Amino acid sequence: MGRLINESGLRVDGRRPDELRPIKVEIGVLKNADGSAYIELGKNKVVVAVYGPKEVHPRHMALPDRAVLRCRYHMSPFSTDTRKNPAPSRREIEISKVIREALEPSLMLSDYPRTAIHVYLEVLQSDGSSRVAGISAASVALADAGINMRDLVVGCSAGKVDGVVVLDLNDTEDKEGEADLPVSIMPNLNQVTLLQMDGMLSSEEFSKAFEMALTGCRKIYEVQRNALLTKYFGTSQPSQVEEE
Amino acid sequence: MSAVKKSIVVEQLRKAQLLQLLSKGNRMDGRGPLDYRPITVETHVIEKAEGSARVTIGNTQVIAGVKVDLGDPFPDTPDKGLLIVNAEVLPLASPYAEPGPPDEDAIELARVVDRGVRESQMLNLSELALLPGKRVYAVFVDVSVLNVDGNLFDTTSYAVVAALATTRMPGYTVVNGEVKKTGETPPLPIQTIPVSVTMARIGDVIIVDPTSEEEAVMDARITLTSDGRGNLCAGQKGQSGTLTFEHVMFAAQTSRAKGEEIRELLRKGVGSAKV
C-alpha cells in the first residue's frame, strides 16, 4: 500500500474509497445578486453570484435569439497553500470556459434574447475538485435567480489514488494521485455536461471511475434539492427521483 | 477558432443536411463516421528548432517547434524537467482569426494537448533534471496553427508529439556541481506515443475528426487521449451540448481503437522504431 491509502483501505482523510466529503449548500447568501449560493465540500469554500438577465456590454455581443452566458471562475489569492496571483491564470480561463459549457445546456437561454447572464464563481478556499463544487453551487444560484432551466447541473469528481478508484478527490489526492475525472451531469435528463480527465486510467478503471462520479453526482443532487426546498418551502423533503 | 462563421439560418440548414447524410452513415466529404481525413506528418521542417513537425489533417495545418533550454524547476517538482506547451491560432489561419493574445479557445487547445503529452508520461521528466532543485532542462513546445479546417486538438497534438519524438537537444552534464555543455545532441527521454482522438456528436451520431463545417453544427465535442499501453490519460468535453453516458463509453472505446491506428502512422512519421 502507498501513502494515500492505508492498510485498512482508508484514504488520507479517513474516508472509504466511495465516500464523499462533508457537504453543505446554502442559497441566497449575497443580497445584491439576483441569485447566489455557497458550497462547502470538505475544505472547499466557493461562493457563487448570478447577475441577470441584464443588458449586454458591449452591445454588439448580444445575440438576437438567446441570452449570452458568461462565467468567471476565480481563485482568491489566499485560497491555496502558497499565494495565488490574483490575475486570471490560463487554468482559470479554461475552467471558466468548461463551466460555462457545463451550465449552458441546462438553461433556457432562448427565453431571454438580447440579454446577458453573468455567473461569478469565487473559490475562497480550494481543496481539490473545486470546479465541480463550483458547478453544483452555480446551478442552484441560477435557480435562485429564477432563470428558466430544464434540470439542475451537479458535479462530482472521481479518480485514482494508489491504484484504487476513489470518489471526490481532495487536494492531496488531486496533486499526488494518479488520475482525476471531474464530471457534471443533468441528473434527471441523464446527460453529461462536463467531462475532463487527466492522469492514467485503464479501460476498466475509466468505466468504474465514471460510474462512481455519477453516483456521487446523484448524492450531491439531493443536497442541492434540499437546499432549494429549505429556502423556498422551509422544509427539506426526500427526493422523488428514482435511483438508477 | 472556427473557420466557418456561424449564422443561425445557415447553421440550421447545414445541420439538417449533415444529419440526413449521417443517418445513412455518410459525411459531406464522403467519409464514414469513424474515418479520419488523410494525415501527413513531416519532421525536421525548421532547422533552428531542436525538434519540429508539420502535421496536416485534411486542410488543417499546424507546425510545432521545440526549443530546449535550461531553467529553474517548479518548487513542487524540484527533481523534474519542465515541459511547456503553447498554441496560437495565427491570424493567417482563417478569415475569422484575429491577432492578439490567445483567447479561451487557444488556451483550452494548448492545455488539452499539454495534458495528453504530460499525463501519458511521454517524456520521462525525471531524466531531465540536472541539479535537482536548481537546474533542469526546460522543454518549450510552441505550436502555430497555419490553416484551420476543424480538429485543431488532434492536429496540434500529433505535431507536438512528432516534434518531441524527433528532438535532438543540447546535452548538458554536471561536473563538480556545475552544469556544463557536452557538445552532444541526445534525444529526449521518450517513453510512449500518446494519441489524441477528437470526436463530435451531431444529433445522435458520433463522428471522429470533425471539419470546420461539422464543428459549426456539432452539439458536443469530446477529446480522449490514450497512451501506448491501452490507458486513457487525458480527456476534455467541449461545447455547450451534452453527451449521454453511452456516448461517453463509446468515445472511450473509439479513442483507444483509433488511437492504435494513428499511433502506427505517427511512429512511421517520426521514423523511430523505439517508441
Side-chain angles (χ1 to χ4, degrees), chain B residues 79-194:
Chain B
D79 52 353
K80 287 192 170 156
L82 305 178
L83 170 68
I84 293 122
V85 179
N86 194 31
E88 213 173 316
V89 180
L90 300 178
L92 55 72
S94 125
Y96 305 106
E98 281 178 49
D103 63 1
E104 60 173 23
D105 290 329
I107 289 174
E108 183 187 31
L109 170 65
R111 287 180 57 84
V112 171
V113 171
D114 178 284
R115 274 212 284 280
V117 173
R118 190 180 300 280
E119 300 297 337
S120 67
Q121 294 166 19
M122 178 186 179
L123 297 185
N124 185 348
L125 292 178
S126 305
E127 277 187 32
L128 293 175
L130 288 159
L131 284 171
K134 292 198 186 105
R135 218 66 183 132
V136 298
Y137 283 106
V139 181
F140 294 90
V141 194
D142 288 280
V143 180
S144 293
V145 176
L146 299 179
N147 198 65
V148 177
D149 189 15
N151 202 4
L152 290 185
F153 283 77
D154 292 351
T155 321
T156 304
S157 178
Y158 304 162
V160 168
V161 167
L164 285 171
T166 52
T167 292
R168 307 293 293 198
M169 60 180 186
Y172 289 91
T173 183
V174 179
V175 184
N176 297 331
E178 286 201 28
V179 176
K180 293 246 162 63
K181 222 174 188 155
T182 59
E184 289 170 3
T185 53
L188 287 165
I190 306 285
Q191 311 191 102
T192 186
I193 297 280

Side-chain angles (χ1 to χ4, degrees), chain A residues 45-67:
Chain A
K45 297 177 200 294
V46 186
V47 62
V48 181
V50 173
Y51 283 87
K54 54 189 250 174
E55 68 280 18
V56 186
H57 290 296
R59 249 178 154 160
H60 67 85
M61 300 292 282
L63 298 175
D65 60 330
R66 62 193 170 96

Side-chain angles (χ1 to χ4, degrees), chain A residues 64-65 89-98 100-102 104-105 131 175 178 185-186 190-207 210 214 218 244, chain B residues 8 85-87 102-108 110-112 115 119-121 201 221-222 224 227 229-245 248-249 252 256:
Chain A
D65 60 330
S89 64
R90 290 163 64 87
R91 173 180 174 275
E92 288 169 297
I93 293 171
E94 184 204 337
I95 292 180
S96 299
K97 177 178 192 281
V98 294
R100 185 186 74 228
E101 292 171 344
E104 207 170 333
R131 78 193 66 181
K175 289 197 176 104
E178 293 129 79
I185 61 168
M186 291 193 278
N190 290 318
Q191 296 283 331
V192 177
T193 71
L194 171 136
L195 185 141
Q196 294 185 287
M197 186 194 139
D198 63 285
M200 200 87 89
L201 291 175
S202 71
S203 259
E204 299 72 39
E205 288 165 344
F206 178 82
S207 311
F210 183 61
L214 297 182
R218 293 190 192 283
E244 270 206 320
Chain B
I8 301 158
V85 179
N86 194 31
D103 63 1
E104 60 173 23
D105 290 329
I107 289 174
E108 183 187 31
R111 287 180 57 84
V112 171
R115 274 212 284 280
E119 300 297 337
S120 67
Q121 294 166 19
R201 175 175 78 78
R221 186 196 71 223
I222 182 164
L224 291 168
D227 68 3
R229 311 173 202 97
N231 297 309
L232 291 175
C233 46
Q236 180 94 335
K237 178 237 156 205
Q239 297 297 306
S240 298
T242 61
L243 297 166
T244 63
F245 308 148
V248 171
M249 296 325 288
R256 264 185 294 267

